[in-house]
Amino acid sequence: MEREREGWFTGHAPAAVQDFFQACDRNFEANEASARALASKSTSPQELTVGQQAADARERMRLASRGNWGPCEEHLGELGRRFARAGLEFAAWYEISNTFYAAIVPRLIEAFAGEPSRLEGCMLVLGTYQQRSLSTIAREYIATKDQLLGDAELTSGRVLEASLDAVIEMDHRGVITAFNPMAERTFGYSRHQAIGALLADLIIPERDREAHASGLARVVGTREMRIVGRRVELTGMRADRSEFPIELSIIAADRPDGAVRFTGFLRDLTERRRAEDSAALWSHALEQAQFGVVVSDATSQVIRRVNPAYARMLGYEPDELVGMSGYQLLSPRTVAQLAAYSALLQEPGFTTIEVELQHKDGSGVPVLVSTSTIEHVPGTSVRVSTILDMSARDALQRQRGEAQLAVVRTAARLELVSTTAHEFAATSGRSVDLLALVARRLSEIIGDGCAVRLISDDGEWVEPSAAFHHPDPDHSETALRVVGSLRQRVGDGIAGRVAANGTPMLIAELDPAALLDAMSEPFRELLAKLSVHSALAVPLCSKGRTIGVVSLIRTRPGAPYTLEDQQLAHDLADRAGLAIDNAVLVDTLEQRVAERTTALELANMELEAFSYSVSHDLRSPLRAIDGFSQALLADYGDQLDAEGQHLLGRIYAGTQRMASLIEALLGLARISRTPLRVRDIDLSVISTEVVAELVRREPSRVVEIHIAPGLRARGDHQLIRIVLENLIGNAWKFTNRQSRGEVWIGGDAGVFHVRDSGAGFDMAYSGKLFAPFQRLHAATDFEGTGIGLATVHRIIRHHHGRIWAESAPGRGATFYFTLGGAESDLGHVPK
């Protein structure tokens, strides 16, 4: 190559070469103009200034003038490669060459105008130099272009293969010419299946194919490309005919034959749509959430975003909070503890703390904050916090505490009311003593002074009462002079008004002048002396009626009565009213009982006198009639005919019956006055003895007797024997019309019975059983005095027991009885 260059130079006149390069050196501005033109055309970074480039060119020409063309050749080759890499058209070099030519030719003409041969030689060298330079540049330009084209095709293929988008090429007919791997995965076709097929048949839903065909025809025919170069969203179709959203971007290029080639970049939007839907859902959820959400810078704590709930929580608009520091929203109380909170916030993972934020109006808002730091983008961290307003919880806790305290107070009040009511109810004695107790207890419980007064029977007056109590004896003495001696008309003053309408009156903060105006004259001096600061009066009620008034006063300043005091006083007064009403009733009853006891004692004395009179005055005539009738029968019996003897016998029998009745009545009267001699008795043994006596008197009777063994009780042995004699005797008597009678004597759990199989009776007349002289059968049918069951009834009552019967005509009778005469000894006795 070097020899060719040297041959080229030696092929010309050495003098012309020297003239040309010397002219170039003398007129170096031509090289500077060439360098400036080169710099303006090249988009490659310029490492040297225009002046430096011109100086280098001057050096290369100097070397070329001496026959060393190598540096110049290398420089020209580099220019060709640079033009190719920069993407310049080769024709641009002609402009640069013409710039040099236009600048140097006038200089050559000027220099050699008088020497045409030398000018011709220089022009020949210039033409040869320019031709050779263009040839060198063109050679390198074309070689570089070819290399770049090959690299571009290789790179394009690799890019298509590695692209994350589906890339499909098609020609002007809509036939697929390229189908990259992502297109295979996206649409479900292999490259072999896709290439050569119509794009519309493979990936466009049938409803859209007509529009696709018309659009393709318009682009090809008019070159009007509405979607080329833009991103649009369409619906694609997979090999399984399922449809999905896609994003499409198209570029179009003309082929050498003038046809159009389209390259489409398609991206499956399914996941993005899901992500967008999910993001939209989460965004909506956060916007609608009732708890606060804050996103802030992890280092500066500057707020980037908040949801509406957080803004409402603090009384701001969301935009007002963006850009503020989270520390600005802390209440002064939380700021004082900021160091402790900051240490917690440095811990990894989630941190939950309770703090107080400051509302826009300056009030505190207690919140529960759950916060964590996450890396949003590499090197940038944000803090995401959720905030719950705990105001409702704190208010609920306060209410719960107040409710618990109220429950405790209520329980204490109920216990106090209960124990005090029990104390009132358990008080025995006169009603005046109970009134004094009520005044003292209400004074101690509610304070300070308390007066209890009753309403008169006619309802017109509040009666005077000595029931006043105050912890200061002097005050008590002063008050008793008024409330213990003066009546107050119902309707006058505080107490009179409460007595009239039955509703409490409370004067918490007392205006002394107003109080004095409200009181009747006798009480004004009293209230002035007591220095009353608060007053309370409640009705004293019993069984729905007002029976009196409880008046309370506080002589201590700064302790007014409250509604709670009023309620407590009302509750205590209700319990006291019932107890007082009962006490007054007891006072009245005791007086009545005393009067009736005196009357009963007088009646008993008269009854005893009557009994004595009966026993003395009736017995003597009966004994005379009995004696005279026996004497008459003995002395003159043989002179009387049968009728006379019969009548005399009836007289004798009547006197005997009358004697028996008198004896029975006296026995009945003696039972109530006979003191009980209680001891253990065996009813089975007594029954056996009674039955033996009956058998002895009537040995011809056939009666089957059943006596249960071990029938034991406590009572008066003699009186209980009378009971069994009467009950077993009746059973024996009322079975005498049966060929074979039957009697049962038994008991269970303290209830004893005597049952028979005799005549029985109608239960409709059972009320007459235990009355004296009341008989349920004719005397001609069954003998008896009619006093027996009355005697049994009185003995059982004397033992505090009970007797009753069950029967039916012709089906026998059963008499039951209990002995409660010594219940503490006998145990439980059924009623």
Side-chain angles (χ1 to χ4, degrees):
M1 178 64 69
E2 187 63 28
R3 290 192 185 95
E4 289 181 0
R5 292 195 191 106
E6 291 176 358
W8 181 77
F9 281 111
T10 57
H12 299 79
V17 172
Q18 289 296 323
D19 287 343
F20 173 74
F21 282 113
Q22 287 177 1
C24 289
D25 189 53
R26 287 194 299 269
N27 299 282
F28 195 70
E29 65 274 11
N31 284 333
E32 290 180 341
S34 176
R36 279 192 293 271
L38 178 63
S40 66
K41 295 293 183 181
S42 177
T43 57
S44 301
Q46 301 297 316
E47 298 176 357
L48 302 175
T49 64
V50 172
Q52 290 172 331
Q53 292 183 48
D56 289 347
R58 188 173 188 177
E59 177 63 20
R60 288 192 296 273
M61 287 185 178
R62 187 180 63 80
L63 293 174
S65 67
R66 295 177 181 178
N68 185 4
W69 180 254
C72 188
E73 185 84 2
E74 290 297 328
H75 175 66
L76 293 172
E78 177 58 30
L79 286 179
R81 291 188 293 273
R82 183 182 298 176
F83 269 53
R85 287 193 295 271
L88 297 177
E89 295 292 336
F90 183 73
W93 177 253
Y94 287 98
E95 296 180 16
I96 299 171
S97 178
N98 288 334
T99 301
F100 174 75
Y101 188 85
I104 196 62
V105 168
R107 301 295 186 268
L108 291 176
I109 293 173
E110 182 181 356
F112 301 107
E115 300 177 77
S117 60
R118 292 181 69 183
L119 178 60
E120 181 181 3
C122 284
M123 294 299 291
L124 290 173
V125 172
L126 175 60
T128 303
Y129 173 77
Q130 192 170 8
Q131 182 180 3
R132 186 60 179 176
S133 296
L134 290 174
S135 176
T136 302
I137 290 173
R139 183 181 66 248
E140 293 301 324
Y141 179 87
I142 293 171
T144 302
K145 273 287 189 181
D146 289 343
Q147 181 182 359
L148 290 175
L149 183 58
D151 291 345
E153 290 180 351
L154 179 61
T155 301
S156 177
R158 290 176 178 173
V159 169
L160 290 179
E161 292 295 314
S163 176
L164 296 178
D165 288 338
V167 181
I168 303 176
E169 290 183 357
M170 75 174 183
D171 61 16
H172 64 284
R173 299 168 300 168
V175 175
I176 297 174
T177 58
F179 205 75
N180 76 333
M182 180 54 74
E184 292 180 308
R185 292 192 291 273
T186 301
F187 292 97
Y189 296 101
S190 67
R191 185 175 304 181
H192 175 73
Q193 291 173 306
I195 293 177
L198 286 174
L199 179 75
D201 293 344
L202 263 63
I203 71 169
I204 297 177
E206 187 173 352
R207 63 178 179 277
D208 298 330
R209 290 175 187 173
E210 183 177 349
H212 166 75
S214 61
L216 180 62
R218 183 179 62 253
V219 170
V220 173
T222 66
R223 299 304 174 107
E224 180 185 352
M225 303 179 184
R226 296 179 181 175
I227 64 172
V228 173
R230 296 188 296 114
R231 289 184 177 272
V232 295
E233 293 186 7
L234 303 170
T235 300
M237 183 177 68
R238 298 186 182 91
D240 61 4
R241 319 310 287 178
S242 61
E243 297 182 6
F244 63 105
I246 58 174
E247 183 182 67
L248 169 65
S249 178
I250 299 177
I251 59 175
D254 290 331
R255 295 173 57 85
D257 59 2
V260 182
R261 182 181 66 180
F262 301 95
T263 302
F265 299 86
L266 303 97
R267 181 170 297 174
D268 186 348
L269 297 181
T270 302
E271 291 303 323
R272 190 172 81 181
R273 288 282 178 83
R274 289 176 181 169
E276 289 174 350
D277 291 345
S278 178
L281 179 62
W282 278 109
S283 177
H284 178 75
L286 291 178
E287 290 294 309
Q288 299 300 318
Q290 298 305 303
F291 56 87
V293 179
V294 180
V295 179
S296 58
D297 185 87
T299 303
S300 66
Q301 304 302 319
V302 172
I303 296 173
R304 295 185 179 181
R305 185 177 178 184
V306 301
N307 71 334
Y310 182 71
R312 288 194 303 271
M313 194 183 300
L314 299 182
Y316 291 89
E317 293 296 327
D319 292 342
E320 293 182 87
L321 294 172
V322 175
M324 293 178 64
S325 170
Y327 295 126
Q328 293 177 252
L329 300 173
L330 298 177
S331 70
R333 188 174 69 177
T334 301
V335 171
Q337 304 172 353
L338 190 58
Y341 291 135
S342 297
L344 288 173
L345 294 176
Q346 300 304 316
E347 296 180 1
F350 278 93
T351 300
T352 300
I353 54 177
E354 286 198 38
V355 299
E356 185 178 79
L357 302 179
Q358 189 166 15
H359 195 275
K360 191 175 183 179
D361 62 10
S363 60
V365 180
V367 297
L368 181 69
V369 181
S370 181
T371 181
S372 65
T373 301
I374 61 173
E375 190 173 19
H376 181 51
V377 295
T380 303
S381 296
V382 296
R383 181 173 294 281
V384 180
S385 306
T386 57
I387 297 93
L388 294 177
D389 188 346
M390 307 304 290
S391 301
R393 183 205 64 178
D394 290 357
L396 182 60
Q397 288 178 343
R398 287 194 301 272
Q399 293 173 2
R400 184 178 299 167
E402 293 171 358
Q404 290 175 343
L405 183 60
V407 169
V408 171
R409 288 200 301 265
T410 301
R413 188 177 73 184
L414 289 175
E415 183 178 3
L416 178 62
V417 170
S418 176
T419 55
T420 306
H422 180 73
E423 186 178 359
F424 292 160
T427 300
S428 60
R430 299 178 304 162
S431 59
V432 292
D433 297 330
L434 180 56
L435 291 174
L437 173 65
V438 171
R440 178 174 61 82
R441 292 296 288 127
L442 266 69
S443 173
E444 294 169 346
I445 294 170
I446 302 176
D448 294 326
C450 178
V452 182
R453 292 183 293 163
L454 300 180
I455 299 175
S456 62
D457 292 339
D458 59 9
E460 296 293 329
W461 298 93
V462 179
E463 298 284 10
S465 172
F468 182 88
H469 186 273
H470 192 281
D472 186 337
D474 292 338
H475 287 345
S476 292
E477 184 179 351
T478 301
L480 284 173
R481 286 200 302 269
V482 176
V483 299
S485 59
L486 296 176
R487 302 176 94 191
Q488 183 177 5
R489 183 171 291 280
V490 171
D492 292 345
I494 294 178
R497 294 176 188 175
V498 171
N501 55 37
T503 57
M505 282 189 66
L506 169 64
I507 307 177
E509 299 291 340
L510 187 62
D511 180 359
L515 177 63
L516 292 176
D517 289 342
M519 300 301 293
S520 58
E521 184 62 34
F523 294 93
R524 293 179 183 176
E525 181 183 358
L526 170 64
L527 292 176
K529 288 183 179 181
L530 292 179
S531 184
V532 178
H533 291 271
S534 186
L536 171 63
V538 295
L540 196 65
C541 299
S542 175
K543 302 173 184 175
R545 59 190 179 90
T546 302
I547 65 170
V549 180
V550 176
S551 300
L552 291 154
I553 58 172
R554 277 188 177 161
T555 55
R556 294 171 291 130
Y561 286 119
T562 64
L563 290 176
E564 189 173 351
D565 293 329
Q566 176 180 305
Q567 183 62 50
L568 179 58
H570 201 290
D571 290 344
L572 291 172
D574 282 347
R575 275 65 177 181
L578 183 61
I580 291 170
D581 199 19
N582 290 337
V584 172
L585 180 60
V586 168
D587 289 346
T588 305
L589 289 177
E590 286 179 350
Q591 181 179 356
R592 292 179 181 177
V593 168
E595 293 173 352
R596 291 186 179 183
T597 299
T598 301
L600 182 60
E601 289 176 352
L602 181 59
N604 285 337
M605 291 175 61
E606 292 176 353
L607 180 61
E608 288 181 0
F610 174 75
S611 298
Y612 178 79
S613 175
V614 168
S615 64
H616 183 272
D617 296 342
L618 293 182
R619 279 181 174 181
S620 295
L622 283 177
R623 282 197 297 270
I625 293 172
D626 179 65
F628 287 133
S629 34
Q630 288 187 25
L632 182 61
L633 184 61
D635 295 340
Y636 301 100
D638 54 350
Q639 298 178 19
L640 298 175
D641 56 13
E643 180 65 21
Q645 290 183 0
H646 172 71
L647 293 174
L648 191 59
R650 290 187 64 182
I651 292 173
Y652 175 73
T655 58
Q656 293 298 313
R657 179 172 177 75
M658 178 64 75
S660 298
L661 287 173
I662 292 172
E663 190 63 34
L665 283 172
L666 290 175
L668 184 62
R670 283 194 299 269
I671 288 174
S672 298
R673 300 194 306 273
T674 302
L676 293 177
R677 292 184 290 273
V678 177
R679 60 187 178 90
D680 288 331
I681 55 177
D682 191 330
L683 274 65
S684 300
V685 172
I686 297 174
S687 299
T688 301
E689 293 173 352
V690 170
V691 170
E693 179 64 22
L694 291 171
V695 171
R696 185 186 63 79
R697 288 204 301 253
E698 294 184 72
S700 61
R701 288 283 309 277
V702 179
V703 180
E704 187 173 350
I705 307 295
H706 307 277
I707 301 175
L711 298 176
R712 304 191 64 82
R714 286 182 62 77
D716 186 298
H717 184 278
Q718 182 177 354
L719 294 178
I720 297 304
R721 184 180 182 91
I722 293 173
V723 169
L724 292 175
E725 285 176 348
N726 279 278
L727 293 179
I728 298 174
N730 281 348
W732 179 277
K733 176 173 61 177
F734 288 112
T735 58
N736 65 1
R737 295 192 176 182
Q738 295 175 332
S739 59
R740 185 180 184 85
E742 199 166 3
V743 177
W744 296 266
I745 300 137
D748 182 39
V751 179
F752 306 101
H753 67 265
V754 176
R755 180 181 300 121
D756 63 68
S757 61
F761 59 87
D762 189 343
M763 288 293 291
Y765 303 102
S766 59
K768 299 180 179 181
L769 276 176
F770 304 108
F773 308 116
Q774 295 293 326
R775 299 173 58 89
L776 302 184
H777 301 87
T780 55
D781 293 335
F782 300 99
E783 64 179 9
T785 62
I787 300 297
L789 287 180
T791 302
V792 168
H793 182 256
R794 185 163 296 187
I795 291 173
I796 295 299
R797 283 180 56 193
H798 200 34
H799 280 77
H800 302 286
R802 178 172 172 247
I803 184 169
W804 67 99
E806 294 178 358
S807 181
R811 300 183 62 181
T814 304
F815 285 82
Y816 299 92
F817 66 92
T818 64
L819 296 175
E823 283 191 47
S824 59
D825 297 322
L826 295 172
H828 172 71
V829 178
K831 300 297 184 183

